[in-house]
Amino acid sequence: MSVSNNGWAMIAQVRYRELKTRLGLAAFIAVTAWFLTRGAWPAVWLAAVAATQLVDWLAFRRLRLNPTIEPSTLYKIGLCATAAANVVVYSGIAAILWVSGGEAGRLFAMIQVAGGLLHVSLHMHHVRPLLFAAVIPHSLYFLGMPVVEGIATGRVEDFLIAIGGVLFMTHLVVAVRQSSMTTKALQDANDEAQAQRRKAEVASAAKSDFLAVVSHEIRTPMNAVISAANLLRRTRLDREQREHVSMLLDAGDVLVGLLNDVLDFSKIEAGKMQLEASDVQLRDKLASLGRLWQPKAEANGVRLLMEIAPGVPDSIRTDPLRLQQILFNLLSNAVKFTEDGKITVSVAWRDADQQLVVVVSDTGCGIAPDRLANIFDSFEQADAGTTRRYGGTGLGLAISRRLAEIMGGSLSAQSEVGQGSSFTLTLPVERIAEAAAAPARVDSSEDSLQGRLILAADDHAVNRRILSLLLEPHGCQLVLVENGAEAVEAAASQTFDAILMDMQMPVMDGLTATARIRAEGLNTNTPVIALTANAMDVHRAAWDAEGVHAFLTKPIDPALLAATLAEACVAPRAHRSAEAA
């Protein structure tokens, strides 16, 4: 729709909205005019106004109902004629008052016409033909009445009134021009803002796509590197070789951690971080974190202590992944910056407001007071040498605080140089009753993989080889396929205990293959585990929509893969046994 057409349609809408106001004001003017003239002309004038307003309503109706149409030249001429006729009639009361209303009537007449001029100038300046059609009749009344009176009576005062009217109209022209320029500037600024917003949205989408591609492309070779290192560590190695493998694994963990930090920070900045609440066995979660970080702390000559207050519930409801991520980052920092002494994880429960309070304190190097306020900022670390000495992106604490705030809690820090630091995480969580928190446990030890038949779909030969080397020692039998179509074909010929499914594959992707397998055949109820390098939340959501048993990302964690597979294989058997009982 053109700018001109937009102006015509806008005026049509404005005139419709102001119809009741114009009629109400006309009634008030008619009553006032009757008091000033004591004649019948005000009533006649009011009837004429109502008639012309009806014509105006009918004339603009088509454009009002269809604002996108392009008015023809003839239609525009008709609209201008209608507007001019309305003004001639509406301001006709001024002539009646000028002639029959005395001095008060003449003053009222000039004010009424001046108001009309102001009104049409401000509301119709977007479309010049309509503006001129309305302004010219008003101007003829405004200047013509005193000029005609002056000629008829010879009074100089009447000509001075006309001169004052000219000055008023001059100021009005300047004001309307300024208003028009301001309106245009605002419109241009709004158009520019909208254009920039669209560009930002495109850039944000491109960034998300770029991060997704980079994440996938980095995770795929990283999976080969880390998995090969894990497999190598299982072989007989001398001390020097074992150190080399440990360096490989440590470097791989750092790279994966950096990749996860960048992706998480991007999601938080885009407002796309989503929480998923579920029941968490709190003591088990803390114990697993302790088992993970205890060896690393002891390697630095540091003790890691877990202190859980008696009132802390065994089970809570929160987002387990984000809780673990925050505690992981806090423990990572504590281990990284503590070279002597101890690290203490103190857990308490505030029953009054249902808050879980976790304090991670250390006896490390501490943080200077002038830097303490900035450690939660993105890409910030305590000093310029921190990255060179300890590594990291400076995103861990920023992500942790953002996650705590998204979860409705807070994360704060206290520190003293040379004495250590203390980070306090406070989270509102739901306490789960002990009876509800004790579901029947399924024996999912890795021994339960013995004799299991597993279907694994992955288009990379290296990844398929890694899966074989990781899982076959557990006694399970693998059927390896290269794409989703082959997975569907294999699932149609025999029953599997579990299915490992990659996401991006040629011929048929993993999501489509999973849906086909679930739709019919021998494996409609077989647990499917997503094992993919696509680690974004959107990918997790897509797999969740297919109802997968678990979502695992590459690089593969061998212990987690084996435990997840064991649980998936045992759970259906336990479920069937429970149904039979």
Side-chain angles (χ1 to χ4, degrees):
M1 185 167 57
S2 67
V3 175
S4 175
N5 183 29
N6 184 54
W8 289 87
M10 181 177 65
I11 290 175
Q13 297 293 337
V14 170
R15 292 189 70 78
Y16 174 73
R17 287 197 302 267
E18 293 181 349
L19 178 60
K20 292 181 180 179
T21 302
R22 291 198 301 273
L23 290 174
L25 185 59
F28 171 77
I29 293 173
V31 172
T32 304
W34 181 83
F35 274 106
L36 292 172
T37 63
R38 299 290 179 173
W41 282 110
V44 175
W45 170 80
L46 183 59
V49 167
T52 54
Q53 291 299 318
L54 175 61
V55 173
D56 185 273
W57 181 83
L58 292 172
F60 281 93
R61 186 170 184 269
R62 180 185 168 207
L63 189 58
R64 185 175 68 251
L65 296 178
N66 300 284
T68 58
I69 66 170
E70 180 67 34
S72 65
T73 302
L74 186 60
Y75 186 31
K76 291 178 180 179
I77 292 173
L79 293 178
C80 290
T82 301
N86 261 278
V87 172
V88 170
V89 173
Y90 206 94
S91 285
I93 193 67
I96 297 172
L97 289 170
W98 186 274
V99 173
S100 307
E103 291 298 320
R106 295 170 65 177
L107 179 60
F108 190 91
M110 293 297 290
I111 293 174
Q112 189 267 335
V113 178
L117 271 171
L118 178 62
H119 178 82
V120 298
S121 298
L122 292 177
H123 285 79
M124 293 188 174
H125 69 272
H126 308 89
V127 180
R128 288 193 175 184
L130 277 176
L131 175 64
F132 292 145
V135 165
I136 291 173
H138 274 309
S139 302
L140 292 175
Y141 279 114
F142 195 55
L143 301 178
M145 291 187 301
V147 169
V148 170
E149 181 74 12
I151 293 173
T153 62
R155 289 199 305 260
V156 178
E157 294 87 345
D158 292 318
F159 291 104
L160 293 176
I161 293 174
I163 294 173
V166 172
L167 291 175
F168 171 81
M169 292 181 65
T170 302
H171 288 297
L172 184 60
V173 169
V174 173
V176 169
R177 180 176 297 174
Q178 186 63 41
S179 174
S180 180
M181 292 173 61
T182 302
T183 301
K184 186 178 184 304
L186 288 173
Q187 184 62 48
D188 291 344
N190 183 63
D191 291 343
E192 178 65 21
Q194 292 295 329
Q196 293 299 327
R197 181 181 64 83
R198 287 190 291 271
K199 287 182 180 179
E201 290 174 348
V202 171
S204 178
K207 183 186 74 172
S208 297
D209 292 342
F210 173 76
L211 286 173
V213 172
V214 168
S215 173
H216 180 274
E217 294 305 315
I218 291 178
R219 286 176 189 275
T220 299
M222 282 296 297
N223 181 51
V225 172
I226 294 178
S227 297
N230 275 308
L231 291 167
L232 187 60
R233 187 166 58 176
R234 293 181 180 182
T235 63
R236 298 183 63 180
L237 303 172
D238 59 33
R239 185 181 61 81
E240 185 177 0
Q241 290 171 332
R242 189 164 294 278
E243 287 180 358
H244 293 165
V245 171
S246 295
M247 284 190 293
L248 270 175
L249 290 172
D250 289 342
D253 289 342
V254 171
L255 287 173
V256 174
L258 295 179
L259 180 61
N260 289 336
D261 279 351
V262 171
L263 291 178
D264 283 338
F265 184 74
S266 175
K267 285 186 288 187
I268 292 173
E269 287 292 289
K272 295 181 179 179
M273 180 64 71
Q274 297 179 348
L275 302 180
E276 297 180 2
S278 60
D279 294 352
V280 180
Q281 299 299 316
L282 184 58
R283 283 174 170 77
D284 291 346
K285 178 69 68 177
L286 293 170
S288 66
L289 284 169
R291 287 193 298 272
L292 176 64
W293 287 104
Q294 184 80 41
K296 299 180 181 181
E298 290 178 350
N300 290 348
V302 177
R303 290 175 297 152
L304 177 58
L305 306 176
M306 291 281 182
E307 298 179 351
I308 304 176
V312 175
D314 289 327
S315 182
I316 59 174
R317 187 169 182 79
T318 186
D319 189 315
L321 178 63
R322 302 311 171 191
L323 174 62
Q324 176 175 302
Q325 188 173 0
I326 295 172
L327 296 179
F328 185 95
N329 283 336
L330 296 181
L331 282 169
S332 175
N333 271 5
V335 171
K336 184 188 298 183
F337 296 109
T338 306
E339 297 179 351
D340 184 42
K342 64 180 180 179
I343 298 168
T344 305
V345 180
S346 303
V347 186
W349 175 257
R350 292 206 310 243
D351 201 50
D353 53 0
Q354 300 287 291
Q355 298 267 358
L356 181 70
V357 181
V358 182
V359 180
V360 179
S361 56
D362 61 64
T363 57
C365 57
I367 304 169
D370 61 329
R371 302 295 302 171
L372 187 60
N374 300 322
I375 61 171
F376 292 107
D377 294 340
S378 305
F379 307 102
E380 282 286 342
Q381 291 186 325
D383 58 65
T386 300
T387 300
R388 292 193 298 272
R389 183 177 179 185
Y390 297 104
T393 59
L395 288 174
L397 288 177
I399 291 172
S400 297
R401 171 172 273 188
R402 299 282 189 90
L403 287 176
E405 291 171 348
I406 292 172
M407 297 170 73
S410 63
L411 179 62
S412 59
Q414 292 180 325
S415 186
E416 186 176 345
V417 176
Q419 299 298 315
S421 305
S422 178
F423 291 84
T424 302
L425 170 68
T426 304
L427 286 179
V429 298
E430 180 183 351
R431 182 172 190 158
I432 306 299
E434 299 303 320
R441 301 183 66 87
V442 175
D443 179 13
S444 59
S445 63
E446 294 176 11
D447 292 339
S448 58
L449 287 177
Q450 185 70 36
R452 295 293 184 177
L453 184 61
I454 310 296
L455 173 62
D458 198 302
D459 60 317
H460 284 272
V462 173
N463 290 340
R464 295 195 298 275
R465 177 61 177 162
I466 287 170
L467 286 174
S468 297
L469 294 172
L470 288 176
L471 295 176
E472 287 177 352
H474 292 289
C476 57
Q477 180 183 351
L478 287 175
V479 174
L480 300 170
V481 296
E482 297 184 13
N483 56 61
E486 292 183 4
V488 173
E489 183 179 350
S493 61
Q494 58 183 318
T495 303
F496 292 93
D497 292 293
I499 299 173
L500 292 172
M501 188 71 73
D502 191 16
M503 189 171 189
Q504 287 185 215
M505 293 182 290
V507 184
M508 182 184 295
D509 63 84
L511 290 169
T512 304
T514 300
R516 296 275 182 88
I517 293 171
R518 287 284 174 78
E520 59 181 356
L522 301 174
N523 292 278
T524 55
N525 296 317
T526 301
V528 177
I529 299 170
L531 183 59
T532 174
N534 296 91
M536 305 285 281
D537 277 355
V538 63
H539 304 135
R540 181 187 294 271
W543 283 109
D544 286 343
E546 294 298 333
V548 294
H549 179 81
F551 178 83
L552 302 180
T553 59
K554 299 171 184 174
I556 297 171
D557 182 329
L560 180 60
L561 174 62
T564 304
L565 261 179
E567 180 190 359
C569 290
V570 172
R573 178 200 293 169
H575 180 65
R576 288 193 295 269
S577 299
E579 286 184 341

